[in-house]
């Protein structure tokens, strides 16, 4: 890009058509708030500043925008308050102070249009620069025009103005070319034009969409770029539109994964968020949900009805049917489930196995260790080659505090053992079925009973 570019995103509105207490741009699409998508595609243009006009739930919107970018890019964010929402033109006026010394072009878009691709914005900038326009806008042609501003052209097909849907005459309503709301302005031409906006329109607002007409009246050039993907540029105004947008984005995410070598058995029933990475030759079976910042390695199998959130899964792992894994890690060569639950930084070391109806919370299971059936392991550190018998429970909570259980390498915990924490089971020890362990177990000893007592030394 030859000229300096800045980006301005309008995100101060509540979004009445959402019927929500939450600002529209905070509603999620593919695991990320709308504003995060918008800010991210802007950041790909490498702009000098990304200015966001905020108003409703300003703090939350600001936080969501900041969280969506890596720190060095987040530094370029500038937030401007619009206390009263008096229209999109007024929102731009609120950024006047930030813009007054800026030169070059300004991309303006709306915070409710999350699917735009950086390439589309690049095309807009390219036309703006090559045509040396004062303003350039993207337009879309729709057989049945949506309730968008209509593009009015003269007999020579030259751009004349935008008329908002609510201000259209019945004839203008028939116009198929509409304004999806992506503009490129020369900053120093835009600022004085803002002073000439009025509120003489159906909504009594300052419309940003009146600026191109003002520039034209001054004999300045206004360029247009016709785009063909309506959904990509759609501004979401209600929940049904957001759901359709997610369908489009979801399809794109799955296509990309498949192109990169991931098998998605049934794309129609697979839900994978934007920030999920998956390695080659991994298979995702039908009805799987993978959310948040998740990373899955190569040659894994993720079976049906499993729901994974913020997981790190190494290579050659199998997640069987109906597992719920959150904020947890499978290192490599692990199998879990069916019906396993891992949460709050549960970690399986290489080749550890967790079977059905086993829950791990803030616990680590060492290399080649197994917990196959009906077990709760909470606040536990378990060594290598340990076998945890069916129906074992770490009794980690005394009603007030949580306590740690330590199980060292090569231990065998018998079925139905209760480990009353804090407690430690020494290396090579064995507990008999039904033991209730209330004090530390020495290494290489067999304990049994209620409460468990040492019955014999094993070495
Ligand atoms: C706007 C355009 C319309 C276009 C459509 C495309 C105007 C006047 N109209 O209409 O031509 O076809 O988008 O989606 O621009 N906002 C503020 N402050 C305000 C008002 C709005 O920050 O005072 C923000 C909103 O939070 C929202 C965005 O601007 O993110 C667009 O506002 P919205 O009310 O959705 O505009 P539309 O009626 O959809
Ligand atoms: Ca809108």
């Amino acid at each position: 890009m030859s000229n300096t570019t800045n980006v301005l995103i309008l995100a101060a509105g509540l979004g009445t058509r959402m019927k929500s207490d939450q600002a529209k741009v905070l509603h999620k699409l593919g695991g990320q708030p709308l504003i995060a998508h918008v800010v991210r595609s802007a950041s790909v243009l490498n702009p000098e500043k990304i200015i966001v006009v905020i108003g409703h739930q300003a703090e939350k919107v600001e936080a969501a925008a900041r969280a969506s970018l890596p720190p060095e890019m987040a530094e370029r964010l500038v937030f401007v308050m619009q206390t009263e929402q008096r229209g999109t033109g007024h929102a731009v006026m609120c950024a006047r102070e930030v813009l007054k010394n800026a030169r070059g072009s300004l991309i303006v878009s709306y915070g409710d249009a999350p699917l735009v691709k950086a390439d589309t914005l690049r095309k807009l900038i390219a036309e703006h620069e090559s045509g040396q326009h004062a303003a350039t806008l993207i337009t879309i042609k729709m057989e049945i025009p949506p309730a968008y501003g209509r593009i009015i052209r003269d007999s020579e097909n030259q751009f004349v103005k935008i008329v908002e849907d609510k201000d259209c005459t019945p004839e203008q309503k028939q116009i198929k070319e509409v304004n999806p709301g992506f503009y490129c302005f020369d900053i120093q031409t835009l600022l004085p034009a803002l002073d000439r906006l009025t509120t003489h329109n159906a909504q009594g607002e300052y419309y940003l969409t009146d600026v191109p007409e003002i520039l034209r009246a001054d004999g300045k050039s206004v360029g247009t770029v016709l785009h063909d993907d309506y959904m990509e540029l759609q501004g979401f105004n209600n929940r049904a539109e957001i759901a359709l947008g997610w369908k489009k984005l979801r399809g794109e995410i799955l296509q990309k994964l498949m192109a990169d070598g991931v098998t998605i058995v049934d794309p129609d029933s697979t839900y994978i968020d934007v920030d999920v990475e998956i390695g080659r030759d991994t298979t995702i079976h039908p009805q799987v949900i993978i959310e948040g910042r998740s990373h899955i390695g190569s040659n894994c199998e993720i079976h049906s009805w499993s729901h994974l959130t913020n997981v790190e899964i190494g290579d050659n792992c199998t997640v069987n049917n109906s597992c719920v894994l959150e904020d947890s890690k499978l290192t490599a060569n692990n199998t879990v489930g069916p019906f396993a639950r891992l949460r709050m930084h549960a970690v399986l070391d290489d080749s550890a196995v967790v079977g059905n109806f086993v829950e791990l919370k803030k616990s680590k299971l060492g290399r080649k260790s197994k917990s196959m059936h009906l077990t709760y392991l909470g606040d536990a550190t378990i060594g290598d080659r340990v076998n945890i018998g069916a129906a074992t429970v770490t009794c980690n909570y005394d009603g007030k505090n949580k306590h740690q259980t330590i199980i060292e390498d090569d231990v065998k915990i018998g079925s139905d053992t209760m480990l009353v924490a804090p407690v430690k089971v020494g290396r090579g020890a064995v507990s008999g079925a039904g033991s209730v362990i209330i004090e530390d177990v020495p290494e290489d000893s067999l304990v049994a009973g209620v409460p468990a007592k040492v019955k014999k030394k094993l070495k």
Side-chain angles (χ1 to χ4, degrees):
M1 254 162 273
S2 48
N3 293 330
T4 327
T5 305
N6 284 277
V7 177
L8 179 66
I9 296 162
L10 310 188
L14 173 64
T16 18
R17 291 163 277 184
M18 294 294 291
K19 310 266 168 70
S20 174
D21 294 335
Q22 179 167 251
K24 173 164 66 177
V25 295
L26 294 172
H27 281 258
K28 284 188 175 172
L29 179 78
Q32 294 288 332
L34 299 186
I35 189 69
H37 292 276
V38 176
V39 163
R40 278 187 186 189
S41 41
S43 75
V44 180
L45 300 173
N46 195 24
E48 194 173 61
K49 290 194 186 101
I50 303 172
I51 307 153
V52 187
V53 182
I54 50 177
H56 277 281
Q57 292 167 3
E59 278 167 35
K60 285 187 183 163
V61 175
E62 176 170 342
R66 284 193 192 283
S68 67
L69 294 180
E72 65 284 3
M73 193 48 85
E75 278 170 17
R76 302 191 198 179
L77 284 165
V78 178
F79 295 89
V80 171
M81 263 311 269
Q82 185 195 24
T83 335
E84 237 187 307
Q85 281 70 55
R86 298 167 64 194
T88 50
H90 180 255
V92 179
M93 292 176 202
C94 294
R96 208 183 245 133
E97 274 303 301
V98 186
L99 292 171
K100 71 175 185 216
N101 297 319
R103 294 288 177 278
S105 37
L106 179 70
I107 295 277
V108 182
S109 69
Y110 300 144
D112 64 356
L115 299 182
V116 65
K117 297 197 164 63
D119 264 352
T120 306
L121 298 177
R122 284 197 195 97
K123 277 183 200 149
L124 173 65
I125 297 170
E127 170 59 31
H128 184 74
E129 290 180 354
S130 68
Q132 297 185 318
H133 304 299
T136 310
L137 41 123
I138 299 183
T139 70
I140 284 273
K141 279 188 181 158
M142 297 283 288
E143 232 6 80
I144 302 169
Y148 279 11
R150 304 296 199 281
I151 307 295
I152 313 294
R153 293 184 181 272
D154 64 17
S155 52
E156 268 126 56
N157 206 32
Q158 291 298 303
F159 172 88
V160 175
K161 61 178 174 179
I162 302 171
V163 179
E164 284 306 293
D165 184 68
K166 290 194 173 107
D167 297 281
C168 279
T169 62
E171 293 74 41
Q172 288 170 331
K173 282 235 183 206
Q174 303 306 313
I175 294 173
K176 295 180 169 52
E177 191 180 11
V178 296
N179 167 37
F182 295 85
Y183 319 86
C184 187
F185 293 102
D186 173 66
I187 296 178
Q188 292 306 323
T189 316
L190 167 69
L191 295 181
L194 292 174
D195 295 332
R196 289 151 67 190
L197 292 178
T198 69
T199 56
H200 304 148
N201 53 55
Q203 300 184 80
E205 291 182 351
Y206 293 101
Y207 290 164
L208 175 63
T209 44
D210 287 346
V211 170
E213 180 186 9
I214 291 171
L215 299 179
R216 275 274 302 165
D218 285 351
K220 299 210 162 73
S221 156
V222 175
T224 58
V225 180
L226 183 65
H227 195 68
D228 56 10
D229 186 353
Y230 165 70
M231 285 283 283
E232 180 197 333
L233 303 184
Q234 192 177 359
F236 297 128
N237 294 318
N238 58 51
R239 294 172 199 250
E241 286 172 356
I242 292 183
L244 278 177
W246 171 219
K247 202 169 181 178
K248 175 181 163 73
L249 179 61
R250 189 161 78 79
E252 289 171 2
I253 293 168
L254 298 174
Q255 286 299 327
K256 168 92 172 51
L257 288 169
M258 290 188 280
D260 290 345
V262 178
T263 297
I264 311 275
V265 176
D266 178 25
D268 284 346
S269 71
T270 304
Y271 297 79
I272 299 182
D273 277 358
V274 253
D275 285 330
V276 175
E277 295 168 340
I278 306 181
R280 279 167 74 125
D281 290 319
T282 283
T283 299
I284 311 293
H285 292 270
Q287 319 254 5
V288 164
I289 302 173
I290 309 176
E291 296 182 313
R293 286 185 201 274
S294 292
H295 177 92
I296 297 175
S298 304
N299 289 306
C300 295
E301 297 276 334
I302 312 295
H303 287 277
S304 297
W305 310 294
S306 285
H307 190 160
L308 279 45
T309 308
N310 298 324
V311 293
E312 198 189 323
I313 296 183
D315 297 341
N316 307 311
C317 291
T318 300
V319 175
N320 284 314
N321 290 348
S322 302
C323 291
V324 179
L325 315 185
E326 289 159 34
D327 304 307
S328 293
K329 176 177 174 182
L330 309 187
T331 303
N333 309 305
N334 302 109
T335 301
V336 299
F339 301 101
R341 168 113 157 95
L342 268 56
R343 60 190 178 99
M344 290 175 87
H345 308 291
V347 176
L348 304 197
D349 257 0
D350 195 338
S351 306
V353 182
V354 161
N356 36 208
F357 304 104
V358 173
E359 175 180 358
L360 264 82
K361 182 218 96 177
K362 274 194 191 165
S363 291
K364 184 181 164 199
L365 195 56
R367 283 173 63 92
K368 297 192 174 167
S369 290
K370 288 183 179 172
S371 175
M372 296 305 290
H373 332 266
L374 301 164
T375 286
Y376 174 60
L377 301 170
D379 305 295
T381 306
I382 298 156
D384 299 343
R385 299 169 303 277
V386 169
N387 191 71
I388 307 281
T392 293
V393 174
T394 54
C395 311
N396 59 333
Y397 186 49
D398 61 12
K400 266 195 191 142
N401 297 305
K402 299 281 168 69
H403 301 283
Q404 299 288 319
T405 298
I406 296 170
I407 300 174
E408 294 185 341
D409 295 347
D410 302 299
V411 164
K412 290 188 172 61
I413 299 290
S415 295
D416 201 27
T417 295
M418 301 293 122
L419 296 134
V420 182
V423 74
K424 176 170 150 185
V425 181
R427 165 191 291 267
V430 176
S431 75
S435 302
V436 176
I437 298 175
I438 62 170
E439 56 191 33
D440 290 358
V441 174
E443 288 184 7
D444 298 316
S445 52
L446 168 72
V447 295
V450 183
K453 294 286 177 211
V454 176
K455 298 293 174 186
K456 66 173 179 187
K457 288 303 275 182
L458 297 169
K459 270 185 195 160

